[in-house]
Amino acid sequence: MDKSFLTDIKELRRRARSHIEQGAITAAYRGDRETVLRLLNEALATELVCVLRYKRHYYMASGIHAQAVAEEFLEHASEEQAHADLIAERINQLGGEPDLNPEGLLTRSHSEYVEGDDLVDMIKEDLVAERIAIESYGEIVRFLGDHDITSRRMMEEILENEEEHADDLRNLLATFDPTHPA
Ligand SMILES: [Fe+2]
Ligand SMILES: [Fe+2]
C-alpha cells in the first residue's frame, strides 16, 4: 500500500464502498486476520474459564463465611465476563466467529480451571491464572503492534485490568496467608 497519507479521497471512498460487506475491515487493515482471530478466540476462552473459576470460588468462599473475599471473587468474575464480551464483539467486527463452544474451552484457554481446597488455595490459583493472562495478553499486544490498533488497544485495556486483579489477589494473599510476605 502507498505509504503516503495523500491517498486520493475518491480512491478511499471507492475502496470503502467496494467491500462494504467486510464491515469494519478496510483495505488498510494490516493484520494477519486469521492469526488475530485465533489469538482473540484464545483470549476469549481464557476469559470464560476465568469467569467460571471465579464464580466457583465465589460460591465456595461464601460457604466458608469469607464474605469480603467472596465479594472480590464476584467482582472479578463480572469483569472477566465484560472482557469476554468485548473480545467476542471485536471478533465479530473482524468478520470472525466467537468460539463459545464449551467443548475444547480449556484447551483454547491459556489459564486453568483449578477449584482450590481452601480460601488461600483459591486466592493463589486465581493469582496464578491472572499472571498467565498478563503474560499472554502482553504477547498478544506486542504481536498486534500497529497491525490492528483497535484490537491492540482493547487488549491493552484488558491487560491493565488483569494487573489490577493480580494486585487485589496479592493483597488478599498477604491478609489471609501469614506465611506470604506482602
Ligand atoms: Fe479478564
Ligand atoms: Fe482478571
Side-chain angles (χ1 to χ4, degrees):
M1 200 193 126
D2 187 2
K3 289 264 162 62
S4 157
F5 291 108
L6 301 172
T7 308
D8 186 75
I9 192 79
K10 275 186 192 149
E11 170 62 13
L12 274 179
R13 285 182 182 145
R14 190 195 60 76
R15 283 207 304 252
R17 282 172 196 283
S18 68
H19 295 292
I20 213 103
E21 74 279 3
Q22 290 178 6
I25 301 293
T26 65
Y29 185 78
R30 300 203 289 171
D32 166 359
R33 212 180 62 99
E34 289 310 310
T35 307
V36 171
L37 287 172
R38 185 177 55 77
L39 291 173
L40 291 181
N41 262 314
E42 285 177 14
L44 175 60
T46 301
E47 295 296 342
L48 295 170
V49 166
C50 287
V51 171
L52 295 171
R53 198 193 54 256
Y54 274 126
K55 283 275 179 145
R56 156 82 186 191
H57 290 178
Y58 164 67
Y59 288 113
M60 294 310 284
S62 302
I64 47 183
H65 308 296
Q67 206 48 45
V69 184
E71 291 305 324
E72 194 77 43
F73 289 158
L74 186 61
E75 194 186 306
H76 285 200
S78 74
E79 286 172 354
E80 309 301 14
Q81 181 63 62
H83 297 163
D85 289 334
L86 281 172
I87 296 168
E89 196 178 309
R90 181 63 184 157
I91 290 170
N92 209 257
Q93 271 182 3
L94 290 172
E97 293 178 11
D99 192 346
L100 294 168
N101 192 339
E103 201 169 84
L105 185 63
L106 263 180
T107 317
R108 295 192 302 278
S109 167
H110 298 157
S111 58
E112 292 180 290
Y113 178 89
V114 182
E115 293 182 341
D117 296 328
D118 54 34
L119 197 63
V120 168
D121 221 31
M122 290 183 220
I123 299 169
K124 278 183 182 164
E125 288 303 335
D126 290 330
L127 182 51
V128 167
E130 293 292 350
R131 290 171 61 90
I132 290 170
I134 289 166
E135 272 199 31
S136 69
Y137 292 178
E139 279 179 31
I140 292 175
V141 165
R142 281 187 291 274
F143 172 83
L144 291 169
D146 60 357
H147 300 299
D148 180 340
I149 295 162
T150 306
S151 298
R152 188 194 74 208
R153 275 180 38 216
M154 174 189 74
M155 291 307 297
E156 281 174 351
E157 274 169 33
I158 294 175
L159 172 61
E160 194 180 325
N161 204 201
E162 309 305 4
E163 288 181 358
E164 287 166 13
H165 289 170
D167 201 46
D168 293 342
L169 293 163
R170 192 182 54 124
N171 291 332
L172 285 178
L173 204 53
T175 311
F176 287 88
D177 182 2
T179 66
H180 189 89

mmCIF file with all atom_site columns, all heavy atoms in Angstrom, residues 45 99-109:
data_model
loop_
_atom_site.group_PDB
_atom_site.id
_atom_site.type_symbol
_atom_site.label_atom_id
_atom_site.label_alt_id
_atom_site.label_comp_id
_atom_site.label_asym_id
_atom_site.label_entity_id
_atom_site.label_seq_id
_atom_site.pdbx_PDB_ins_code
_atom_site.Cartn_x
_atom_site.Cartn_y
_atom_site.Cartn_z
_atom_site.occupancy
_atom_site.B_iso_or_equiv
_atom_site.pdbx_formal_charge
_atom_site.auth_seq_id
_atom_site.auth_comp_id
_atom_site.auth_asym_id
_atom_site.auth_atom_id
_atom_site.pdbx_PDB_model_num
ATOM 1  N N   . ALA A 1 45  ? -11.526 -17.580 25.292 1.00 0.00 ? 45  ALA A N   1
ATOM 2  C CA  . ALA A 1 45  ? -11.603 -18.815 26.084 1.00 0.00 ? 45  ALA A CA  1
ATOM 3  C C   . ALA A 1 45  ? -10.982 -18.592 27.464 1.00 0.00 ? 45  ALA A C   1
ATOM 4  O O   . ALA A 1 45  ? -11.522 -19.047 28.488 1.00 0.00 ? 45  ALA A O   1
ATOM 5  C CB  . ALA A 1 45  ? -10.894 -19.948 25.346 1.00 0.00 ? 45  ALA A CB  1
ATOM 6  N N   . ASP A 1 99  ? -15.822 -18.152 19.389 1.00 0.00 ? 99  ASP A N   1
ATOM 7  C CA  . ASP A 1 99  ? -15.938 -19.574 19.704 1.00 0.00 ? 99  ASP A CA  1
ATOM 8  C C   . ASP A 1 99  ? -16.410 -19.720 21.151 1.00 0.00 ? 99  ASP A C   1
ATOM 9  O O   . ASP A 1 99  ? -15.642 -19.487 22.086 1.00 0.00 ? 99  ASP A O   1
ATOM 10 C CB  . ASP A 1 99  ? -14.573 -20.252 19.513 1.00 0.00 ? 99  ASP A CB  1
ATOM 11 C CG  . ASP A 1 99  ? -14.690 -21.767 19.549 1.00 0.00 ? 99  ASP A CG  1
ATOM 12 O OD1 . ASP A 1 99  ? -15.751 -22.277 19.969 1.00 0.00 ? 99  ASP A OD1 1
ATOM 13 O OD2 . ASP A 1 99  ? -13.717 -22.433 19.148 1.00 0.00 ? 99  ASP A OD2 1
ATOM 14 N N   . LEU A 1 100 ? -17.683 -20.077 21.315 1.00 0.00 ? 100 LEU A N   1
ATOM 15 C CA  . LEU A 1 100 ? -18.245 -20.231 22.665 1.00 0.00 ? 100 LEU A CA  1
ATOM 16 C C   . LEU A 1 100 ? -18.551 -21.700 22.947 1.00 0.00 ? 100 LEU A C   1
ATOM 17 O O   . LEU A 1 100 ? -19.293 -22.021 23.869 1.00 0.00 ? 100 LEU A O   1
ATOM 18 C CB  . LEU A 1 100 ? -19.511 -19.376 22.804 1.00 0.00 ? 100 LEU A CB  1
ATOM 19 C CG  . LEU A 1 100 ? -19.250 -17.868 22.728 1.00 0.00 ? 100 LEU A CG  1
ATOM 20 C CD1 . LEU A 1 100 ? -20.546 -17.101 22.582 1.00 0.00 ? 100 LEU A CD1 1
ATOM 21 C CD2 . LEU A 1 100 ? -18.506 -17.371 23.953 1.00 0.00 ? 100 LEU A CD2 1
ATOM 22 N N   . ASN A 1 101 ? -17.962 -22.565 22.146 1.00 0.00 ? 101 ASN A N   1
ATOM 23 C CA  . ASN A 1 101 ? -18.209 -23.990 22.325 1.00 0.00 ? 101 ASN A CA  1
ATOM 24 C C   . ASN A 1 101 ? -17.559 -24.475 23.626 1.00 0.00 ? 101 ASN A C   1
ATOM 25 O O   . ASN A 1 101 ? -16.348 -24.348 23.786 1.00 0.00 ? 101 ASN A O   1
ATOM 26 C CB  . ASN A 1 101 ? -17.608 -24.746 21.126 1.00 0.00 ? 101 ASN A CB  1
ATOM 27 C CG  . ASN A 1 101 ? -18.062 -26.197 21.088 1.00 0.00 ? 101 ASN A CG  1
ATOM 28 O OD1 . ASN A 1 101 ? -18.492 -26.752 22.100 1.00 0.00 ? 101 ASN A OD1 1
ATOM 29 N ND2 . ASN A 1 101 ? -17.949 -26.792 19.925 1.00 0.00 ? 101 ASN A ND2 1
ATOM 30 N N   . PRO A 1 102 ? -18.373 -25.023 24.549 1.00 0.00 ? 102 PRO A N   1
ATOM 31 C CA  . PRO A 1 102 ? -17.782 -25.493 25.811 1.00 0.00 ? 102 PRO A CA  1
ATOM 32 C C   . PRO A 1 102 ? -16.779 -26.620 25.579 1.00 0.00 ? 102 PRO A C   1
ATOM 33 O O   . PRO A 1 102 ? -15.853 -26.790 26.369 1.00 0.00 ? 102 PRO A O   1
ATOM 34 C CB  . PRO A 1 102 ? -18.981 -25.974 26.634 1.00 0.00 ? 102 PRO A CB  1
ATOM 35 C CG  . PRO A 1 102 ? -20.162 -25.940 25.747 1.00 0.00 ? 102 PRO A CG  1
ATOM 36 C CD  . PRO A 1 102 ? -19.827 -25.161 24.516 1.00 0.00 ? 102 PRO A CD  1
ATOM 37 N N   . GLU A 1 103 ? -16.973 -27.361 24.477 1.00 0.00 ? 103 GLU A N   1
ATOM 38 C CA  . GLU A 1 103 ? -16.012 -28.419 24.174 1.00 0.00 ? 103 GLU A CA  1
ATOM 39 C C   . GLU A 1 103 ? -14.710 -27.768 23.720 1.00 0.00 ? 103 GLU A C   1
ATOM 40 O O   . GLU A 1 103 ? -14.703 -26.933 22.823 1.00 0.00 ? 103 GLU A O   1
ATOM 41 C CB  . GLU A 1 103 ? -16.574 -29.304 23.063 1.00 0.00 ? 103 GLU A CB  1
ATOM 42 C CG  . GLU A 1 103 ? -15.936 -30.678 23.031 1.00 0.00 ? 103 GLU A CG  1
ATOM 43 C CD  . GLU A 1 103 ? -16.700 -31.599 22.098 1.00 0.00 ? 103 GLU A CD  1
ATOM 44 O OE1 . GLU A 1 103 ? -16.426 -31.558 20.888 1.00 0.00 ? 103 GLU A OE1 1
ATOM 45 O OE2 . GLU A 1 103 ? -17.580 -32.325 22.592 1.00 0.00 ? 103 GLU A OE2 1
ATOM 46 N N   . GLY A 1 104 ? -13.632 -28.140 24.380 1.00 0.00 ? 104 GLY A N   1
ATOM 47 C CA  . GLY A 1 104 ? -12.326 -27.597 23.993 1.00 0.00 ? 104 GLY A CA  1
ATOM 48 C C   . GLY A 1 104 ? -12.018 -26.248 24.622 1.00 0.00 ? 104 GLY A C   1
ATOM 49 O O   . GLY A 1 104 ? -10.966 -25.672 24.367 1.00 0.00 ? 104 GLY A O   1
ATOM 50 N N   . LEU A 1 105 ? -12.933 -25.764 25.447 1.00 0.00 ? 105 LEU A N   1
ATOM 51 C CA  . LEU A 1 105 ? -12.737 -24.441 26.073 1.00 0.00 ? 105 LEU A CA  1
ATOM 52 C C   . LEU A 1 105 ? -11.418 -24.379 26.844 1.00 0.00 ? 105 LEU A C   1
ATOM 53 O O   . LEU A 1 105 ? -10.639 -23.437 26.706 1.00 0.00 ? 105 LEU A O   1
ATOM 54 C CB  . LEU A 1 105 ? -13.922 -24.139 27.003 1.00 0.00 ? 105 LEU A CB  1
ATOM 55 C CG  . LEU A 1 105 ? -13.960 -22.756 27.644 1.00 0.00 ? 105 LEU A CG  1
ATOM 56 C CD1 . LEU A 1 105 ? -14.074 -21.665 26.600 1.00 0.00 ? 105 LEU A CD1 1
ATOM 57 C CD2 . LEU A 1 105 ? -15.125 -22.652 28.622 1.00 0.00 ? 105 LEU A CD2 1
ATOM 58 N N   . LEU A 1 106 ? -11.158 -25.414 27.648 1.00 0.00 ? 106 LEU A N   1
ATOM 59 C CA  . LEU A 1 106 ? -9.933  -25.436 28.457 1.00 0.00 ? 106 LEU A CA  1
ATOM 60 C C   . LEU A 1 106 ? -8.677  -25.554 27.606 1.00 0.00 ? 106 LEU A C   1
ATOM 61 O O   . LEU A 1 106 ? -7.622  -25.052 27.987 1.00 0.00 ? 106 LEU A O   1
ATOM 62 C CB  . LEU A 1 106 ? -9.981  -26.612 29.434 1.00 0.00 ? 106 LEU A CB  1
ATOM 63 C CG  . LEU A 1 106 ? -10.439 -26.297 30.851 1.00 0.00 ? 106 LEU A CG  1
ATOM 64 C CD1 . LEU A 1 106 ? -10.437 -27.562 31.680 1.00 0.00 ? 106 LEU A CD1 1
ATOM 65 C CD2 . LEU A 1 106 ? -9.543  -25.239 31.498 1.00 0.00 ? 106 LEU A CD2 1
ATOM 66 N N   . THR A 1 107 ? -8.805  -26.210 26.470 1.00 0.00 ? 107 THR A N   1
ATOM 67 C CA  . THR A 1 107 ? -7.648  -26.352 25.585 1.00 0.00 ? 107 THR A CA  1
ATOM 68 C C   . THR A 1 107 ? -7.325  -25.017 24.929 1.00 0.00 ? 107 THR A C   1
ATOM 69 O O   . THR A 1 107 ? -6.160  -24.661 24.753 1.00 0.00 ? 107 THR A O   1
ATOM 70 C CB  . THR A 1 107 ? -7.945  -27.399 24.484 1.00 0.00 ? 107 THR A CB  1
ATOM 71 O OG1 . THR A 1 107 ? -8.596  -28.502 25.095 1.00 0.00 ? 107 THR A OG1 1
ATOM 72 C CG2 . THR A 1 107 ? -6.696  -27.850 23.792 1.00 0.00 ? 107 THR A CG2 1
ATOM 73 N N   . ARG A 1 108 ? -8.376  -24.265 24.583 1.00 0.00 ? 108 ARG A N   1
ATOM 74 C CA  . ARG A 1 108 ? -8.140  -22.967 23.944 1.00 0.00 ? 108 ARG A CA  1
ATOM 75 C C   . ARG A 1 108 ? -7.667  -21.920 24.958 1.00 0.00 ? 108 ARG A C   1
ATOM 76 O O   . ARG A 1 108 ? -6.971  -20.988 24.617 1.00 0.00 ? 108 ARG A O   1
ATOM 77 C CB  . ARG A 1 108 ? -9.434  -22.467 23.271 1.00 0.00 ? 108 ARG A CB  1
ATOM 78 C CG  . ARG A 1 108 ? -9.923  -23.326 22.115 1.00 0.00 ? 108 ARG A CG  1
ATOM 79 C CD  . ARG A 1 108 ? -11.024 -22.624 21.303 1.00 0.00 ? 108 ARG A CD  1
ATOM 80 N NE  . ARG A 1 108 ? -12.197 -22.236 22.067 1.00 0.00 ? 108 ARG A NE  1
ATOM 81 C CZ  . ARG A 1 108 ? -13.215 -23.061 22.374 1.00 0.00 ? 108 ARG A CZ  1
ATOM 82 N NH1 . ARG A 1 108 ? -13.186 -24.314 21.979 1.00 0.00 ? 108 ARG A NH1 1
ATOM 83 N NH2 . ARG A 1 108 ? -14.251 -22.626 23.069 1.00 0.00 ? 108 ARG A NH2 1
ATOM 84 N N   . SER A 1 109 ? -8.079  -22.107 26.209 1.00 0.00 ? 109 SER A N   1
ATOM 85 C CA  . SER A 1 109 ? -7.754  -21.114 27.246 1.00 0.00 ? 109 SER A CA  1
ATOM 86 C C   . SER A 1 109 ? -6.286  -21.177 27.640 1.00 0.00 ? 109 SER A C   1
ATOM 87 O O   . SER A 1 109 ? -5.692  -22.249 27.676 1.00 0.00 ? 109 SER A O   1
ATOM 88 C CB  . SER A 1 109 ? -8.620  -21.387 28.476 1.00 0.00 ? 109 SER A CB  1
ATOM 89 O OG  . SER A 1 109 ? -8.127  -20.661 29.582 1.00 0.00 ? 109 SER A OG  1
#
